Amino acid sequence: MRVLLVGAGGVGTAITRIAARRPFFEHMTVADYDLGRAESAVTALGERGDRFGAARLDASDPAAVRAVLAEHRCDVLLNATDPRFVMPLFEAALAHGAHYLDMAMSLSRPHPSRPYEECGVKLGDAQFERAAEWEAAGRLALVGIGVEPGLSDVFARYASDELFDEIEEIGIRDGADLTVEGYDFAPSFSIWTTIEECLNPPVVYEEDRGWFTTEPFSEPEVFDFPEGIGPVECVNVEHEEVLLVPRWLKARRVTFKYGLGDEFIGVLRTLHKLGLDRTDPVLVKSGTGVAEVSPRDVVAACLPDPAGLGERMHGKTCAGTWVKGSKDGRPREVYLYHVVDNQWSMREYGSQAVVWQTAINPVAALELLAGGVWSGSGVLGPEAMPPRPFLDLLNEYGVPWGMREQ
């Protein structure tokens, strides 16, 4: 397997550090708009970097992506960029004849007149519209294979296959007790993506109603997270699992709730009121003239890079899937989860917990694809794959998952 990894930010760099310890691939080309960043990711691997190379690449240019795929003879493209670049990379992989993986799907667009009642363009719609072309080409686009979406979807499939006869609700619940020294406000993940997820209308699925939307931060609940994290208030957030799970699994309701906290929600509401969450450029006067600048990009530039916060970060992050239903005629409720301690991920890999937890899952998926354990064609989510090999492989990687009977 020869892999083109596009994006050498926090998640991309963590991917290289995890993959370097595994023998399943022949070569991985790390590509980024900033060549120096790609080269740094490779150099940091030391003697483990002999199967890696660096390249400069504009992810928004499908022709350039195809050229790099051809030059380095890559048969798989792994997308570790933000969601703005999903479609050009997705399309370039199809045109070249490469398989494709991502951790976030094509962007949504709210309903023009009823944004908090009806879906407009849903997450992933643009990709699923191309599913027949991928199937005809005999190539696989495995979408949403990070931690959330990704591992959370694998948990959902595992619960459906082995733990339940009937499922009332599948609810992804994400929470943490992470703190960052020296900053009043410092997100642990891409603020660009976080704004997109949290300020768009959240999507909920119900079997008798289909997909519908609600107000941002709706339906607050306190969820008790394991391994010492404890109770965290969680709210509805737009996320891919709600759009993926019902395509393959039968459940009466599917939700995603994120533990944000009052301060974080307040900051996001303020950004929205000021128009600083917008992605369309505005004209800004500067000493060198007038420039077109995206307000959201300005916000991201003013905040610290999450990938560089690991030394200042303390605590744990938890991603998991809560499932309620019945087994053998009896009610059952479980929480399948994965917890990462930031001190451990920094010590073992030099990557902060949130980006490391995201990164390990596409590496495990690549290994299963390389070995033929996972396979297929078309546009598929993690729910379409057998879950047990993936969960067993996480244990082999030394990062076990857990299950708590509620």
Side-chain angles (χ1 to χ4, degrees):
M1 175 181 281
R2 296 182 65 89
V3 182
L4 173 61
L5 169 63
V6 184
V11 173
T13 297
I15 285 170
T16 65
R17 293 171 180 175
I18 298 165
R21 303 187 183 191
R22 307 297 296 184
F24 67 87
F25 65 98
E26 178 186 347
H27 190 267
M28 181 177 290
T29 300
V30 184
D32 197 279
Y33 189 80
D34 181 346
L35 177 59
R37 190 160 70 164
E39 290 174 335
S40 294
V42 174
T43 300
L45 300 174
E47 62 183 19
R48 285 184 167 148
D50 59 334
R51 291 178 295 153
F52 293 78
R56 185 189 181 281
L57 180 60
D58 181 352
S60 68
D61 184 350
V65 177
R66 293 198 304 272
V68 173
L69 284 165
E71 178 185 353
H72 296 277
R73 297 179 288 115
C74 298
D75 49 308
V76 178
L77 189 158
L78 172 54
N79 177 3
T81 63
D82 75 51
R84 288 173 289 182
F85 302 106
V86 163
M87 289 311 294
L89 293 172
F90 176 84
E91 290 168 352
L94 177 60
H96 178 74
H99 300 297
Y100 169 88
L101 292 83
D102 64 29
M103 291 160 273
M105 296 172 65
S106 60
L107 293 170
S108 63
R109 193 163 60 248
H111 190 280
S113 59
R114 293 168 55 83
Y116 304 128
E117 293 86 21
E118 298 181 29
C119 295
V121 176
K122 301 188 298 300
L123 291 168
D125 275 358
Q127 290 172 285
F128 283 112
E129 287 171 2
R130 307 288 296 278
E133 296 173 62
W134 281 85
E135 193 165 356
R139 293 294 180 266
L140 171 64
L142 181 57
V143 296
I145 185 62
V147 62
E148 293 172 342
L151 178 57
S152 52
D153 303 73
V154 174
F155 282 150
R157 173 67 186 268
Y158 172 70
S160 178
D161 284 0
E162 300 193 26
L163 303 180
F164 290 84
D165 297 323
E166 293 186 352
I167 295 177
E168 179 181 331
E169 182 170 350
I170 295 174
I172 316 306
R173 299 293 184 265
D174 179 301
D177 62 0
L178 295 168
T179 58
V180 181
E181 291 179 3
Y183 291 97
D184 292 330
F185 184 76
S188 59
F189 200 70
S190 162
I191 189 62
W192 200 101
T193 303
T194 302
I195 289 172
E196 184 74 16
E197 293 174 348
C198 296
L199 291 179
N200 276 350
V203 180
V204 175
Y205 173 84
E206 292 181 356
E207 189 175 38
D208 59 354
R209 186 175 173 184
W211 287 295
F212 62 94
T213 57
T214 70
E215 295 272 356
F217 316 120
S218 58
E219 298 183 2
E221 67 174 56
V222 175
F223 191 86
D224 187 20
F225 289 91
E227 299 193 21
I229 296 174
V232 179
E233 185 176 76
C234 299
V235 293
N236 278 327
V237 168
E238 180 191 50
H239 230 254
E240 286 90 343
E241 292 94 328
V242 179
L243 288 312
L244 286 170
V245 168
R247 294 177 185 270
W248 284 277
L249 306 180
K250 185 175 176 58
R252 286 193 281 275
R253 196 168 196 259
V254 182
T255 57
F256 181 99
K257 293 189 179 183
Y258 194 10
L260 293 170
D262 290 340
E263 181 188 23
F264 206 146
I265 290 174
V267 169
L268 292 172
R269 289 190 190 278
T270 299
L271 291 174
H272 180 63
K273 284 181 181 179
L274 297 176
L276 294 175
D277 59 326
R278 292 166 50 192
T279 58
D280 49 309
V282 297
L283 296 178
V284 179
K285 293 181 180 180
S286 70
T288 57
V290 176
E292 287 191 353
V293 182
S294 159
R296 195 184 299 185
D297 287 343
V298 172
V299 172
C302 290
L303 290 172
D305 180 356
L309 294 176
E311 297 290 348
R312 295 172 174 266
M313 191 180 292
H314 303 278
K316 299 176 181 178
T317 184
C318 178
T321 303
W322 163 73
V323 187
K324 181 180 180 180
S326 62
K327 178 69 173 178
D328 298 326
R330 297 181 178 180
R332 191 177 196 186
E333 193 174 338
V334 304
Y335 183 57
L336 299 152
Y337 63 89
H338 186 249
V339 172
V340 179
D341 186 304
N342 186 73
Q343 286 184 296
W344 176 87
S345 64
M346 287 297 298
R347 182 177 66 250
E348 293 294 319
Y349 288 88
S351 296
Q352 57 104 317
V354 177
V355 300
W356 186 90
Q357 188 182 45
T358 303
I360 191 168
N361 297 287
V363 177
L366 283 173
E367 183 159 348
L368 293 175
L369 291 170
V373 179
W374 277 11
S375 62
S377 62
V379 179
L380 302 179
E383 299 86 350
M385 302 295 177
R388 177 60 76 171
F390 189 96
L391 297 175
D392 288 346
L393 189 55
L394 285 187
N395 289 331
E396 184 182 319
Y397 277 36
V399 284
W401 52 281
M403 184 178 84
R404 180 181 69 189
E405 295 279 353
Q406 298 288 88

